[in-house]
Amino acid sequence: MFQLKSGVAENRRASTRSNGSGDAHPFVQDRLLTDAGGRREPMLKLQAWLADYWVIGAGFMAASLMAAAPILSLPLPVFLIFLHSPFYMIHQVEEHTGDRFRKFANNHVFGGRDALTVASVLVINLPFVWGINLLALYAAFLWGPTLGLVAPYIMIVNALAHLVTSARLRKYNPGLVTSVLLFMPLSVATIWTIGWTEGLVPHLIGAALAIFLHMAIIAVVAARYRSLVAAS
């Protein structure tokens, strides 16, 4: 709890600091625009509130979902897909408490530039991760487990990204521990349990979607990095 509270305070302090490019933090830039135009203030307030509290919310949601898990009556493959949501939220607590993954990526991958923004972290982790896991669960429940395969494949790709980054930089990166202890066992067990009764195609589609979504994120962040380099 102390770490989570510290993360909230750190996020607030981060909103007033400059990034590696020498420009004001995105929240500061947006507030300056808001002062001039007065139109974006409600959205910026929501974004700032989410940045401060979403990790705490993820921790409480993960605990609630895990507490409810024993009373759920679901086929085993669907139940395993259900577990992807709380496991991913636990991973997010390790990864993003104190805004540490964003800081790690910007400092060690992007040369101190603010390539991965606060807004990007929110979009990736809330509508992207939570939304896809929820859609995968409903698809598996309504139409069969193979339609939820994107969830375990996203988990595997994310875990491998953490492992490769750690090996390349020869240091811990935020999210590594839960990638090894939670992501790899759950994703492999889910894929194994769903099996291959409907052939290879559903697995290829799930894996392709997972890779595409990760590549899209990398492309967006890399484009921002190139623009910051060009402007410096």
Side-chain angles (χ1 to χ4, degrees):
M1 180 59 72
F2 174 77
Q3 278 189 320
L4 291 177
K5 288 181 178 177
S6 298
V8 171
E10 182 63 27
N11 281 342
R12 285 172 175 162
R13 289 194 294 272
S15 69
T16 62
R17 287 199 294 263
S18 296
N19 58 40
S21 67
D23 297 328
H25 188 279
F27 277 6
V28 177
Q29 293 174 337
D30 283 339
R31 287 192 176 104
L32 291 173
L33 292 173
T34 300
D35 290 340
R39 296 179 180 178
R40 300 177 64 188
E41 185 176 357
M43 185 58 68
L44 289 172
K45 285 182 177 180
L46 174 61
Q47 180 175 310
W49 185 88
L50 285 172
D52 278 349
Y53 296 111
W54 80 270
V55 176
I56 297 175
F60 279 110
M61 288 176 65
S64 298
L65 291 171
M66 292 301 295
I71 65 172
L72 296 178
S73 179
L74 294 171
L76 180 58
V78 179
F79 178 74
L80 292 175
I81 291 174
F82 163 81
L83 289 179
H84 282 64
S85 288
F87 276 35
Y88 221 117
M89 291 169 185
I90 295 169
H91 171 76
Q92 288 169 330
V93 172
E94 182 204 354
E95 190 174 40
H96 294 286
T97 295
D99 200 24
R100 56 187 176 185
F101 179 80
R102 191 180 71 87
K103 294 173 184 175
F104 178 92
N106 287 338
N107 289 332
H108 296 284
V109 180
F110 299 111
R113 294 179 173 86
D114 193 41
L116 182 60
T117 65
V118 173
S120 294
V121 169
L122 292 175
V123 171
I124 292 166
N125 285 279
L126 301 184
F128 172 67
V129 172
W130 294 0
I132 288 177
N133 281 336
L134 183 62
L135 289 173
L137 175 61
Y138 271 97
F141 180 76
L142 294 173
W143 300 297
T146 55
L147 293 181
L149 277 168
V150 67
Y153 279 110
I154 283 178
M155 197 169 264
I156 282 182
V157 172
N158 188 276
L160 291 176
H162 280 282
L163 290 167
V164 169
T165 300
S166 181
R168 185 169 68 87
L169 299 178
R170 297 184 179 180
K171 62 175 63 181
Y172 166 83
N173 63 85
L176 178 64
V177 173
T178 46
S179 292
V180 174
L181 297 182
L182 298 182
F183 276 20
M184 294 302 292
L186 177 61
S187 57
V188 171
T190 303
I191 292 169
W192 181 268
T193 301
I194 290 174
W196 307 87
T197 55
E198 296 190 31
L200 185 62
V201 173
H203 290 270
L204 292 176
I205 292 174
L209 284 173
I211 294 170
F212 171 80
L213 291 168
H214 279 83
M215 293 303 296
I217 292 170
I218 292 171
V220 170
V221 177
R224 176 172 169 81
Y225 170 72
R226 287 192 296 270
S227 69
L228 291 172
V229 171
S232 62

